[in-house]
Amino acid sequence: ALPALLSACNSSANRNASGELPIGAVIALTGNASVIGQDQRLGLELAQKHFSATNPKLQLRLEDGGSDEGTATNAFRKLIGEQVLALIGPSLSQQAFAVDPIADRAGVPVIGPSNTAKGIPEIGPFVARVSAPVAQVAPLSIAAALRLNPTIKRAAVFYAHDDAYSSSESK
C-alpha cells in the first residue's frame, strides 16, 4: 500500500517544510484487534525503514485506532487536521465504515490494509483496500479444509449481529 501512496503523492507541492511526505496510519494498537494492529505496525515499520533511504523521505505519523469506531474517528480527524497526504487504516471493517467517509469528504486517499467487508471500496473515490473480500477468501478456505480432511460434510459459520462487518457479509 505504501508504494502506491508514495507514487500518488510524490510531488514537491505535497511535501512538508522539511521536504518529507507526511503519511498517516491509524491501526489497532490496543483493544481486541491489537493482534492485527501489531502485525500492521511491524509492516509499517519495515516499509518506513525501506523508504527512509529514498528522496523524498516518508514521514509516518502513527495513531492508535483502538478497536472501536470512536477511537479511530478521533485519530483520522487528528491526522487529516495535520494535513497528511494519505491514510493507511483502519484495522477493522467496522471502523472503516465509520472513518472512510471522513477521509473521502476531505479528499484524503485512504487504503485499508485489512478491511474485507462488502461495500468498503464503494464508500467513495478516495477509498481503497488491499485485502481480498471475505466472499473471495471464504471459498478458498473451505477448499483448503477439504483438501486437509475430505470427509468434512458440514461447516458452521459464526458471526455477530451487531457490527457492520458481519452484517455486510450475511446479507
Side-chain angles (χ1 to χ4, degrees):
L2 218 39
L5 287 175
L6 285 175
S7 64
C9 301
N10 191 9
S11 79
S12 58
N14 292 332
R15 298 178 193 178
N16 63 17
S18 62
E20 297 172 321
L21 293 173
I23 305 293
V26 176
I27 57 174
L29 299 174
T30 58
N32 62 355
S34 64
V35 172
I36 296 168
Q38 295 305 325
D39 286 345
Q40 292 171 341
R41 172 189 241 164
L42 288 173
L44 288 167
E45 288 171 354
L46 287 171
Q48 185 174 23
K49 183 177 180 181
H50 173 77
F51 287 105
S52 68
T54 64
N55 192 9
K57 292 193 180 345
L58 171 68
Q59 181 192 54
L60 184 63
R61 298 181 187 171
L62 180 62
E63 291 289 326
D64 181 12
S67 297
D68 61 274
E69 298 84 78
T71 306
T73 298
N74 290 337
F76 258 59
R77 286 187 174 140
K78 176 183 180 201
L79 290 170
I80 290 170
E82 292 176 0
Q83 298 183 335
V84 295
L85 299 177
L87 288 159
I88 299 168
S91 296
L92 301 173
S93 295
Q94 177 76 14
Q95 294 171 312
F97 284 116
V99 300
D100 286 358
I102 298 168
D104 191 65
R105 282 190 301 272
V108 177
V110 59
I111 294 181
S114 56
N115 306 150
T116 60
K118 185 179 0 175
I120 289 177
E122 292 78 19
I123 290 172
F126 289 94
V127 178
R129 65 175 171 206
V130 294
S131 52
V134 170
Q136 291 176 348
V137 175
L140 297 173
S141 298
I142 292 169
L146 286 170
R147 279 193 303 278
L148 292 172
N149 183 350
T151 63
I152 294 173
K153 300 291 181 214
R154 289 189 274 173
V157 177
F158 297 91
Y159 60 93
H161 291 281
D162 61 350
D163 68 61
Y165 167 73
S166 293
S167 62
S168 79
E169 295 300 322
S170 62
K171 292 178 183 173

